[in-house]
Amino acid sequence: MQLFLDTADVSVLRDLAATGLVDGVTTNPTLIAKSGRPMFEVIAEICDIVEGPVSAEVAATESKAMLAEGRKLAAIATNVVVKVPLTREGLIATREFAIEGIQTNVTLCFSAPQALLAAKAGASYISPFVGRLDDYGAVGMELIAEIRAIYDNYDFDTEILAASIRNGAHVTGAAIAGADCATIPPDVFAALFKHPLTEKGLDQFLADWAKTGQSIL
Ligand code: E4P
């Protein structure tokens, strides 16, 4: 399973990417606004840090304008994936991007039929929003399982990118449901390394080791 970082904060990305465990990055207009920086500059820097896919989202809502924006974003670096909203216009653009060989991440997916349409349009990635569905009163993880079953039934190549991840349980659920990737906010990603029993156990081992007076090196 590939783990992406859901951020437009370059310093936070640099820190977590140093672990070698960040396979890609997703951004969205909200994250770009939060960074307070020009989008093209941020995306170019992210693409220098991470070799894997970096999603950059279009702002247009009409397919022709989405295509123009997406082509400009795709020219930033070879690992840019153009993020397109799951609308009728977005899927028209997705189909054309696929013909042109431009990778796409179809975002704001909240239902299985939407995901089916995105795959038929040739999306490289589909982003079902798990956390926002939970907030809405649904069970977001069920959508991941439904999409997995549909894509496997018809051998679609579109990768399932679990998005709107809020906690470690979402990461576990997405992995069990067969998501190809999950995009994780930095604080949730950092927490994945930790467990109180790991810390407690390590403290005990270090204290006992000190008592032996030995040294390995
Ligand atoms: C990533 O592609 C999505 O834009 C992001 O995961 C949305 O997360 P949120 O629901 O926490 O804003």
Side-chain angles (χ1 to χ4, degrees):
M1 187 190 199
Q2 297 173 76
L3 300 181
F4 296 171
L5 207 60
D6 199 16
T7 190
D9 185 326
V10 174
S11 59
V12 166
L13 167 63
R14 237 182 259 285
D15 176 55
L16 279 165
T19 64
L21 296 171
V22 176
D23 300 306
V25 173
T26 53
T27 65
N28 62 34
T30 304
L31 293 170
I32 294 289
K34 208 170 136 193
S35 79
R37 300 184 56 203
M39 178 184 191
F40 278 75
E41 194 180 289
V42 174
I43 298 295
E45 274 182 42
I46 293 174
C47 290
D48 277 346
I49 299 168
V50 175
E51 280 182 23
V54 173
S55 290
E57 188 160 343
V58 298
T61 54
E62 186 272 323
S63 62
K64 279 206 175 89
M66 285 181 189
L67 285 164
E69 288 184 356
R71 289 179 190 124
K72 202 172 161 192
L73 292 169
I76 297 174
T78 52
N79 53 333
V80 166
V81 173
V82 176
K83 210 169 170 194
V84 173
L86 207 160
T87 58
R88 181 182 149 128
E89 290 295 306
L91 293 189
I92 291 170
T94 298
R95 194 167 167 74
E96 178 58 29
F97 282 133
I99 291 165
E100 295 180 17
I102 292 175
Q103 297 251 104
T104 50
N105 173 0
V106 175
T107 189
L108 291 167
C109 173
F110 292 96
S111 79
Q114 284 184 316
L116 175 61
L117 293 179
K120 284 181 71 71
S124 315
Y125 299 90
I126 183 72
S127 285
F129 275 38
V130 174
R132 290 195 199 184
L133 271 171
D134 286 355
D135 296 344
Y136 191 66
V139 181
M141 210 51 69
E142 285 176 1
L143 177 58
I144 304 285
E146 286 173 359
I147 299 172
R148 179 76 281 151
I150 291 167
Y151 283 9
D152 288 351
N153 281 349
Y154 299 99
D155 283 335
F156 284 121
D157 291 333
T158 304
E159 294 196 43
I160 302 172
L161 203 183
S164 190
I165 294 285
R166 302 274 162 79
N167 50 52
H170 277 162
V171 178
T172 306
I176 290 170
D180 299 287
C181 348
T183 187
I184 308 169
D187 56 334
V188 176
F189 202 111
L192 296 180
F193 291 91
K194 297 180 183 167
H195 192 286
L197 292 179
T198 304
E199 282 154 39
K200 190 177 170 206
L202 183 58
D203 286 348
Q204 182 72 57
F205 286 157
L206 292 177
D208 291 342
W209 177 249
K211 286 181 211 158
T212 70
Q214 298 178 48
S215 159
I216 294 173
L217 292 179

